[in-house]
Each structure stands twice: as C-alpha cells, then as structure tokens.
Amino acid sequence: RISFKHTFSKLFLFLIIIFLTNCQRNQVIKTHGLSFLDKRQETVIVNKMNRNDVKNILGAPSTIGTFDNTVWIYIERTITRGKLLNFGKNITKKNNVLVLKFDNNGILFEKKFYDKESLKKIKFSKETEEGVSKEAGFIKNFLSSVRQKMYKK
C-alpha cells in the first residue's frame, strides 16, 4: 500500500528537482544594438565632429533618416529574464537611443540622448500639424516604436 504521505513527499521532491534544474545562477542578458551607448555618446562632440569621426567612435548607425541621410540613430537595448514571481517575463534593463543630426557639410550640429526614463516622459501628440517636417515625423515614429517594444506585454 502506498500512503498519501509517501506519494506527497515524492511529488514534492520531483517539483523541487524540476524547479532547481530550471533556475540559472548567471543572469541571461541579451543586448541589441551598440553596447555601452550611454558612455560612448559622451565622447561625441557637437560642432567639432563630422560623420567620419562619429563613425570611427560609434560605428555604423542603427538607422539613418528615411528622407535624407542627415539624421543618424544609434540604439542600445538590453533585455533579461524576470524573476520567477514574474513568471520569467522579459524585463528591459536598458533602452538607450542616440539621435545625431548633421548639416549639409557633414558636421554634427545636434545630439540628443534618450535613456529608458526619458523615453517614458516623451509625450506624443495624436494630432498632426501641417508645418511639421517629414524628418521630425520619422523620429517621432521611431521613438514611439522603441517605447512600444519596451512595454510590450
């Protein structure tokens, strides 16, 4: 005869073994884009560097503007697995975006860096304005898609 206590202890032992074999001691981190973008962007100097200088420091951009090539966008996205209590859902640890704008001579004249917190604070209008340039619309759409991916369930 098999007792309830004996069956329960075997089931409990089986569940503990399954639980322990599925746990990882080292955290799995997946990085998309340019690593350490927050540190690297500090070396890029506005009004002193050209496209070639930026390319030597940061490499090729993740995205170039759709209507002209004066806007370069670099991305860093780091994702890890959540805790067991969150059922292992992916958690975004870093979500950095660097937007660089060059003039017609290829000189960097504007640099904007967005981290995970500043991307949360960006407010996008649902209305469209006639005076908004196509490039501004591209940046808005791009940042919106990055933010949506960050909060994807």
Side-chain angles (χ1 to χ4, degrees), residues 5 24 28 42 63 76 99 128 143 147 151:
K5 192 175 190 181
Q24 295 180 353
V28 176
E42 294 171 357
T63 304
E76 174 189 20
V99 179
T128 58
L143 292 175
R147 186 167 62 179
Y151 296 113

Short mmCIF file of all heavy atoms in Angstrom, two decimals, residues 5 24 28 42 63 76 99 128 143 147 151:
data_model
loop_
_atom_site.label_atom_id
_atom_site.label_comp_id
_atom_site.label_asym_id
_atom_site.label_seq_id
_atom_site.Cartn_x
_atom_site.Cartn_y
_atom_site.Cartn_z
N LYS A 5 1.14 10.21 2.37
CA LYS A 5 2.33 10.92 2.81
C LYS A 5 3.52 10.57 1.91
O LYS A 5 4.29 11.44 1.50
CB LYS A 5 2.62 10.56 4.26
CG LYS A 5 3.64 11.41 4.93
CD LYS A 5 3.72 11.00 6.38
CE LYS A 5 4.55 11.96 7.17
NZ LYS A 5 4.66 11.60 8.57
N GLN A 24 18.68 29.41 -13.23
CA GLN A 24 20.05 29.68 -13.66
C GLN A 24 20.72 30.58 -12.65
O GLN A 24 20.11 31.54 -12.17
CB GLN A 24 20.05 30.34 -15.03
CG GLN A 24 19.52 29.46 -16.11
CD GLN A 24 19.55 30.19 -17.44
OE1 GLN A 24 19.84 31.36 -17.51
NE2 GLN A 24 19.23 29.46 -18.49
N VAL A 28 20.88 35.77 -17.75
CA VAL A 28 21.00 35.81 -19.20
C VAL A 28 20.63 37.21 -19.66
O VAL A 28 19.55 37.71 -19.39
CB VAL A 28 20.08 34.77 -19.87
CG1 VAL A 28 20.14 34.88 -21.38
CG2 VAL A 28 20.45 33.38 -19.42
N GLU A 42 29.14 60.17 -24.83
CA GLU A 42 29.80 61.29 -24.17
C GLU A 42 31.03 61.77 -24.93
O GLU A 42 31.44 62.92 -24.80
CB GLU A 42 30.18 60.92 -22.73
CG GLU A 42 28.97 60.69 -21.84
CD GLU A 42 29.34 60.10 -20.48
OE1 GLU A 42 30.53 59.82 -20.24
OE2 GLU A 42 28.42 59.93 -19.66
N THR A 63 20.08 53.15 -37.59
CA THR A 63 19.10 53.63 -38.55
C THR A 63 19.55 54.98 -39.08
O THR A 63 20.08 55.80 -38.34
CB THR A 63 17.71 53.79 -37.86
OG1 THR A 63 17.34 52.56 -37.29
CG2 THR A 63 16.66 54.22 -38.84
N GLU A 76 20.64 51.09 -28.16
CA GLU A 76 21.13 50.05 -27.26
C GLU A 76 19.93 49.56 -26.47
O GLU A 76 19.25 50.33 -25.81
CB GLU A 76 22.19 50.58 -26.29
CG GLU A 76 22.60 49.55 -25.26
CD GLU A 76 23.47 50.12 -24.16
OE1 GLU A 76 23.46 51.34 -23.95
OE2 GLU A 76 24.14 49.31 -23.49
N VAL A 99 20.24 60.21 -31.00
CA VAL A 99 19.86 60.81 -32.28
C VAL A 99 20.88 61.89 -32.61
O VAL A 99 21.06 62.83 -31.83
CB VAL A 99 18.44 61.41 -32.21
CG1 VAL A 99 18.07 62.03 -33.55
CG2 VAL A 99 17.42 60.35 -31.82
N THR A 128 -1.86 65.82 -36.06
CA THR A 128 -0.74 66.12 -36.96
C THR A 128 -0.78 67.60 -37.31
O THR A 128 -1.86 68.18 -37.46
CB THR A 128 -0.80 65.27 -38.24
OG1 THR A 128 -2.06 65.52 -38.89
CG2 THR A 128 -0.67 63.80 -37.92
N LEU A 143 10.86 56.64 -32.22
CA LEU A 143 10.87 56.61 -30.75
C LEU A 143 9.60 55.98 -30.19
O LEU A 143 9.64 55.30 -29.17
CB LEU A 143 11.08 58.02 -30.19
CG LEU A 143 12.46 58.62 -30.44
CD1 LEU A 143 12.50 60.05 -29.94
CD2 LEU A 143 13.56 57.80 -29.81
N ARG A 147 9.50 52.72 -27.72
CA ARG A 147 8.78 52.74 -26.44
C ARG A 147 7.75 51.62 -26.38
O ARG A 147 7.58 50.98 -25.35
CB ARG A 147 8.13 54.10 -26.22
CG ARG A 147 7.50 54.21 -24.84
CD ARG A 147 7.13 55.59 -24.47
NE ARG A 147 6.14 56.11 -25.38
CZ ARG A 147 5.62 57.32 -25.26
NH1 ARG A 147 5.99 58.12 -24.31
NH2 ARG A 147 4.73 57.73 -26.12
N TYR A 151 7.50 48.33 -23.58
CA TYR A 151 6.40 47.99 -22.68
C TYR A 151 5.54 46.86 -23.22
O TYR A 151 4.45 46.63 -22.74
CB TYR A 151 5.52 49.23 -22.44
CG TYR A 151 6.28 50.30 -21.72
CD1 TYR A 151 6.57 51.49 -22.36
CD2 TYR A 151 6.71 50.11 -20.43
CE1 TYR A 151 7.30 52.46 -21.70
CE2 TYR A 151 7.42 51.08 -19.77
CZ TYR A 151 7.71 52.25 -20.41
OH TYR A 151 8.41 53.21 -19.77
#
